[in-house]
Amino acid sequence: MRCYHVYDEEAGKVLIPGCWSSAWDGHNRNCTCYPKNLEKNLENELVKELRASIAILQRENYKLVREVERLSKKLKQ
């Protein structure tokens, strides 16, 4: 999570640090968090990789089910 500010009625502008640099300094000028769009891009890439893996596993599963059906027919004969 990135560093961000919250506005409180009593305290005013309050920094919520997401990295140690901002927590130590108290300002987000030294923030070392990933930019938000970079985080989103990394998440999108991960989702694409996982969907590709799922598709491969589904195809493999389909082939194995067909093979089991074929072998079970042979055993019944």
Side-chain angles (χ1 to χ4, degrees), residues 5 12 17 26 44 56 63 69 73 75-76:
H5 286 91
N44 288 341
I56 291 168
K63 289 177 184 178
E69 289 173 354
K73 284 180 184 178
L75 287 174
K76 287 180 182 177

Side-chain angles (χ1 to χ4, degrees), residues 14-31:
V14 178
L15 174 68
I16 306 298
C19 61
W20 185 245
S21 297
S22 292
W24 182 263
D25 188 23
H27 297 285
N28 65 346
R29 64 178 171 242
N30 295 326
C31 178

Side-chain angles (χ1 to χ4, degrees), residues 41-70:
N41 290 340
L42 292 174
E43 290 171 1
N44 288 341
E45 288 178 22
L46 178 60
V47 168
K48 286 179 185 177
E49 290 174 11
L50 291 174
R51 285 183 178 163
S53 296
I54 289 171
I56 291 168
L57 291 171
Q58 286 175 334
R59 286 192 298 269
E60 185 177 330
N61 187 37
Y62 178 76
K63 289 177 184 178
L64 291 172
V65 167
R66 301 292 287 176
E67 183 68 18
V68 167
E69 289 173 354
R70 186 183 67 79

